[in-house]
Amino acid sequence: MDTVVRTGQGQVRGRRVDGVHTFKGIPYAAPPVGTHRLRPPQPVERWSGVRDTLASGPMPPQMPYPPPWDVLIPERATVGEDCLNLNIWSPDPGSAKLPVMVWIPGGMFEAGSGATYDGSRFARDAIVCVTINYRVGAEGFLYLPDGAANLGLLDQFAALAWVRENIAAFGGDPGNVTVFGQSAGAMSVSTLLSMPRAEGLFQRAIAQSGGAHQVIPAEAARKVAGQLAERLGVEATREAIAAVPVDRLLRAQSELKADLVAHPDPERWGAEVVASVLPWQPVVDGDVVPAPPIDRIVAGAAADVDLLAGATTDESMFFLVPGGAIDQITPEILAGAVMAYGLPVDEALAAYRAAHPGASPGELLAAVQSDRYFRIPVLRLADAHAKSPAATYMYEFAWRSPRFEGRLGACHGAEVAFVFDTLGDGTEALGGANPPQQLADTMHAAWVAFAANGDPGWPKYDRSRRATMRFDTISAVVDDPRSMERQLWAGVR
């Protein structure tokens, strides 16, 4: 059965299946092409008649994931010009003021699409669920000192503004919006918490495996832009780079990333880019991102926004196990990484070996990197927010995947299908053949409860107890987990 809803730009036609009304590929901004390419998002032109929104819209320009990660992260859309679109699942567009959840996908700020995710189970549980696209790579995060920075973040802002203006027509409450995301999506959520122009667009936030540290200074971003322009053979201006065809730009981005990995020279790229190996990410431009997000949150930004944050136990196994890199790590490589991250080498290695007896150098590196990139930033985010009047909650996802002979563990991204309650729909590549449905029931219900009333069902996080819900086949609250790592990274990360 078709469903027609009127938005501020025109009518859209969705489809009702099993009690859920789905609208896919709704544009929230004009296509970022022509004069709009590499520019802030522009309003959508109104249309007459009824626009079909029955299939996923195009995703932003990006390179496909390489094997074997292409199997682990399946995409459900193709690249196209009209990529600034979103998808909505609603239990009833005629309802009044249902909670709203807006999902920001991850992908290292280089990939990702809202079409990958299915929000129908949230709609089943009386939530209006929205998934969005935003520009990635150079299209979204090229920085030039010309006043047009952080376009990917501005896309997210535009999508949230569209939700505020239109979601009531789909049964949602614009005054009860939870923004949530994973990986680069969670880092985006954390950055939005700190952005003055995003104030009031959402009342709750969920950061899955991403904190408020992942930004680079303008000087480092300018170096990356210069490297891109040199590789393209054009001037480092917005007009010159915007004139480059998309496929050529994507090839240059891929070559640039390979060069960064092979030649991680801080003088050439900037120390922050070398440390993160992310050439494209939010930039502290003094306007869209006025200061490092963690500093803004420490100073009281988002003090009125409820926060749920957490990470998986074995985050970095996702990056090291599938391609076999974990077995190529030597003690020398491990020690070099620990030194590069700023930890006291002997003390840190002794502490991690004690916490992971019998672990190989690769497994120890995975533990160190999991903390450096994910767990510690999430912990610092929770610590900063916990002093605010709004609620703070922490979780850890600890269920170990059986994939790759069990070596993946509770890796990066493993919790997403449990949160969306989409086990068994063909997308749970990380969970193996029989992931536990009861864990999905538990996690999904917690996310629904948090979005509905701000309480996921366990004690709030504070800096004295540090209560953390550890999700596994048997889930339970643990106080101050991994205190050794927390203390070891104090003053470092």
Side-chain angles (χ1 to χ4, degrees):
M1 179 185 298
D2 290 349
T3 305
V4 175
V5 169
R6 182 178 297 277
T7 74
Q9 295 73 43
Q11 297 183 85
V12 294
R13 178 183 289 111
R15 184 148 292 163
R16 180 178 182 270
V17 177
D18 295 332
V20 173
H21 303 258
T22 304
F23 304 81
K24 295 184 175 181
I26 301 177
Y28 66 81
V33 297
T35 58
H36 296 331
R37 190 175 179 206
L38 295 183
R39 298 288 178 181
Q42 299 299 309
V44 177
E45 292 187 10
R46 290 183 56 83
W47 60 83
S48 59
V50 181
R51 180 173 185 146
D52 282 338
T53 54
L54 305 174
S56 298
M59 65 182 182
Q62 57 193 266
M63 295 294 285
Y65 289 107
W69 289 274
D70 57 340
V71 176
L72 298 174
I73 314 174
E75 291 292 358
R76 294 182 172 181
T78 57
V79 168
E81 292 185 346
D82 199 3
C83 62
L84 299 184
N85 59 72
L86 51 78
N87 312 296
I88 300 174
W89 291 263
S90 171
D92 182 6
S95 297
K97 295 191 172 182
L98 293 173
V100 179
M101 299 185 73
V102 180
W103 175 257
I104 301 178
M108 300 181 292
F109 297 108
E110 298 173 4
S113 166
T116 303
Y117 307 89
D118 178 359
S120 63
R121 278 68 161 190
F122 282 111
R124 175 199 65 194
D125 295 324
I127 300 286
V128 177
C129 184
V130 183
T131 67
I132 72 169
N133 286 345
Y134 59 96
R135 282 172 285 181
V136 295
E139 299 278 353
F141 296 96
L142 174 70
Y143 178 78
L144 297 166
D146 59 2
N150 292 304
L151 302 183
L153 293 177
L154 292 178
D155 293 343
Q156 296 169 14
F157 169 81
L160 287 167
W162 188 96
V163 167
R164 179 183 58 193
E165 298 300 320
N166 292 281
I167 206 64
F170 296 86
D173 180 0
N176 186 9
V177 175
T178 298
V179 60
F180 69 137
Q182 184 265 345
S183 193
M187 296 167 188
S188 297
V189 167
S190 301
T191 304
L192 287 166
L193 284 168
S194 77
M195 287 169 50
R197 69 181 64 197
E199 290 179 8
L201 287 178
F202 52 91
Q203 290 67 49
R204 300 188 179 98
I206 304 175
Q208 301 172 210
S209 300
H213 287 63
Q214 205 59 65
V215 291
I216 55 176
E219 181 57 34
R222 277 197 294 268
K223 290 182 177 182
V224 173
Q227 292 288 337
L228 178 68
E230 181 179 339
R231 192 170 295 278
L232 291 170
V234 301
E235 293 185 42
T237 66
R238 194 165 302 275
E239 292 74 16
I241 296 174
V244 173
V246 170
D247 58 348
R248 183 181 168 203
L249 181 64
L250 289 175
R251 288 197 303 271
Q253 285 181 203
S254 181
E255 294 166 0
L256 183 150
K257 179 68 172 283
D259 193 8
L260 168 61
V261 172
H263 306 97
D265 179 3
E267 289 296 321
R268 183 181 175 198
W269 303 99
E272 299 82 3
V273 173
V274 168
S276 66
V277 202
L278 293 177
W280 312 109
Q281 56 181 297
V283 180
V284 180
D285 67 317
D287 178 22
V288 179
V289 182
I294 188 63
D295 293 347
R296 292 262 306 153
I297 295 168
V298 166
D304 59 345
V305 177
D306 295 330
L307 173 67
L308 170 59
T312 71
T313 304
D314 307 300
E315 294 276 4
S316 288
M317 288 298 194
F318 176 81
F319 305 99
L320 294 176
V321 169
I326 193 167
D327 296 322
Q328 307 304 314
I329 305 303
T330 64
E332 292 74 23
I333 292 174
L334 171 62
V338 170
M339 179 181 296
Y341 296 150
L343 292 172
V345 177
D346 292 340
E347 177 186 349
L349 288 177
Y352 275 100
R353 287 188 180 113
H356 304 273
S360 68
E363 291 165 341
L364 290 173
L365 179 62
V368 172
Q369 290 185 336
S370 295
D371 287 335
R372 200 271 176 188
Y373 292 114
F374 303 105
R375 280 203 301 262
I376 296 301
V378 168
L379 181 64
R380 303 296 183 235
L381 171 63
D383 282 345
H385 189 267
K387 64 181 181 181
S388 69
T392 305
Y393 295 92
M394 279 284 285
Y395 77 89
E396 177 185 347
F397 182 82
W399 181 76
R400 297 180 59 82
S401 168
R403 293 296 308 276
F404 294 91
E405 300 178 343
R407 299 186 75 187
L408 271 182
C411 71
H412 190 67
E415 88 288 3
V416 174
F418 292 86
V419 166
F420 277 81
D421 190 16
T422 51
L423 302 183
D425 73 348
T427 65
E428 183 34 37
L430 293 176
N434 296 294
Q437 180 60 45
Q438 77 272 19
L439 177 53
D441 295 341
T442 300
M443 286 197 79
H444 179 77
W447 266 236
V448 167
F450 180 76
N453 58 44
D455 184 352
W458 61 88
K460 294 178 183 178
Y461 178 91
D462 60 51
R463 297 184 65 166
S464 59
R465 179 181 174 186
R466 302 181 187 274
T468 302
M469 173 59 78
R470 178 171 286 162
F471 287 106
D472 205 334
T473 48
I474 298 176
S475 300
V477 173
V478 179
D479 292 343
D480 196 12
R482 309 188 188 285
S483 59
M484 178 279 291
E485 293 91 336
R486 174 175 59 80
Q487 295 170 28
L488 182 65
W489 286 89
V492 178
R493 184 65 165 162

